[in-house]
Amino acid sequence: MTATARALMFTVAAATLWGTAGLAGAAGPGDPVVLSPHRAVYDFRLDSARSGGGVSDLTGRMVYELVGSPCEGYTQNMRFVTRMIGQNGTAVVTDMRSSSWEEALGRRFRFNGTQYRNSKLEETTAGDASRPAKGDVKVTLSRPKKRDFPISREVLFPIQHSIRLIQEARAGKDVFHADLYDGSEKGEKVYATTAIIGKAFAGSGNKGLPTVKNAERLEKLAAWPVSISYFEPKKQRQDSLPTFEIAFRFYANGVSRRLFIDYGDFAIRGELKEIEFLEPSKCGADRNRR
């Protein structure tokens, strides 16, 4: 699975605080973050392209879904289809599909993904990462080839990373550094990330954005401008350029709007077109009452 797909998955991924409707924006810094299932659709277009970058136009659509609960973990499913036209006029259709499951406390992460280019399968990635009580995280890949290797136990998985980002924003922090393992680049990549969190928007975080059905649930929530830079591992962050950068409007319930991704040679912008909030899975005694 390419970094593009995983970056997009993270951007819209972690999600909605579960609790009393309308009060999530008032949550305190130390309050627990519990994710709520939802399904969102984003349309993408080319925002800019540098001369010689090879891209003259791009359109796309992504469908993202989060389901699960703290007791059973969280599953993320994504499909992202783009049509890119090169400077020579040739069109390429890319279809990226990914699915992952993450234990709520970050002790285990399973992932798989496929990428098609003009309807032809190009890449398949599948693996499992487990965090023992002591020692490094163990990664076991089954595709594209079988391989076991350790990574630092300090790395965060995608849901963990998103929860921490919500917590940092609530606490008024403006910078958040973390190493992220999300199954990118054939399951072998760990990114060093730096998130810059801006001041919360005054008033509604939906101000100036297109009207989207069900997005009115975001009206009373706090929202922050966030940008995240992804760096190659083991490089000095202050001395190296990021591999790519993501910017988005991040709500206190974890929903993202106004996506922007810069890959260096070109940049794309994504707008929320549809969102549906789903019922969370039941846990413990709640499950018995169904």
Side-chain angles (χ1 to χ4, degrees):
M1 179 58 55
T2 65
T4 303
R6 292 293 175 181
L8 287 165
M9 170 173 274
F10 166 73
T11 302
V12 299
T16 309
L17 298 178
W18 178 31
T20 305
L23 295 182
D31 291 342
V33 176
V34 182
L35 305 183
S36 173
H38 69 280
R39 183 182 297 112
V41 178
Y42 297 83
D43 282 351
F44 284 83
R45 61 175 175 78
L46 183 68
D47 184 82
S48 62
R50 291 168 175 78
S51 177
V55 179
S56 64
D57 194 19
L58 182 147
T59 56
R61 168 163 282 203
M62 179 174 64
V63 180
Y64 169 80
E65 182 182 75
L66 174 74
V67 295
S69 67
C71 56
E72 65 185 26
Y74 295 97
T75 297
Q76 300 179 88
N77 297 303
M78 185 202 72
R79 185 175 183 184
F80 182 51
V81 179
T82 60
R83 184 175 186 269
M84 181 185 294
I85 300 177
Q87 292 182 340
N88 61 359
T90 301
V92 176
V93 176
T94 302
D95 184 350
M96 295 178 288
R97 310 173 190 183
S98 64
S99 179
S100 67
W101 173 84
E102 187 174 331
E103 194 265 346
L105 297 178
R107 291 176 293 207
R108 193 168 183 186
F109 172 54
R110 294 197 302 262
F111 57 90
N112 64 78
T114 55
Q115 178 173 311
Y116 295 83
R117 181 183 175 94
N118 292 333
S119 300
K120 182 180 179 180
L121 179 63
E122 271 199 335
E123 181 182 312
T124 301
T125 302
D128 185 295
S130 58
R131 192 188 313 271
K134 295 181 180 180
D136 291 335
V137 170
K138 179 183 178 181
V139 177
T140 301
L141 297 181
S142 56
R143 293 182 180 181
K145 60 183 179 180
K146 293 184 178 181
R147 184 188 172 200
D148 296 348
F149 57 93
I151 57 177
S152 169
R153 69 174 293 101
E154 302 303 319
V155 301
L156 300 180
F157 300 144
I159 292 292
Q160 277 187 301
H161 191 284
S162 296
I163 289 174
R164 285 285 304 278
L165 185 57
I166 293 171
Q167 292 170 334
E168 297 294 302
R170 282 178 177 176
K173 302 295 181 61
D174 54 10
V175 180
F176 169 46
H177 298 292
D179 289 341
L180 173 67
Y181 180 76
D182 58 9
S184 291
E185 303 297 336
K186 300 180 181 181
E188 298 179 350
K189 177 75 73 174
V190 173
Y191 279 106
T193 70
T194 297
I196 305 299
I197 307 169
K199 292 183 179 180
F201 289 99
S204 171
N206 280 342
K207 186 176 181 180
L209 298 181
T211 300
V212 176
K213 183 180 178 181
N214 297 323
E216 63 273 9
R217 291 180 58 171
L218 305 173
E219 287 288 343
K220 296 182 180 180
L221 302 183
W224 302 266
V226 173
S227 64
I228 303 176
S229 297
Y230 288 69
F231 296 88
E232 294 294 324
K234 298 182 181 179
K235 286 187 176 181
Q236 296 297 318
R237 296 175 186 172
Q238 65 269 28
D239 296 329
S240 63
L241 294 175
T243 303
F244 56 89
E245 297 178 282
I246 300 172
F248 49 102
R249 189 172 298 193
F250 200 39
Y251 292 82
N253 67 353
V255 171
S256 299
R257 298 192 66 175
R258 204 168 190 177
L259 313 181
F260 179 80
I261 305 180
D262 187 348
Y263 296 105
D265 288 337
F266 67 98
I268 60 177
R269 190 173 295 278
E271 295 291 347
L272 180 69
K273 292 298 180 179
E274 302 175 23
I275 187 167
E276 178 184 3
F277 293 94
L278 309 174
E279 289 296 323
S281 302
K282 303 297 183 180
C283 292
D286 290 337
R287 178 179 295 174
N288 297 331
R289 289 196 289 268
R290 285 191 296 178

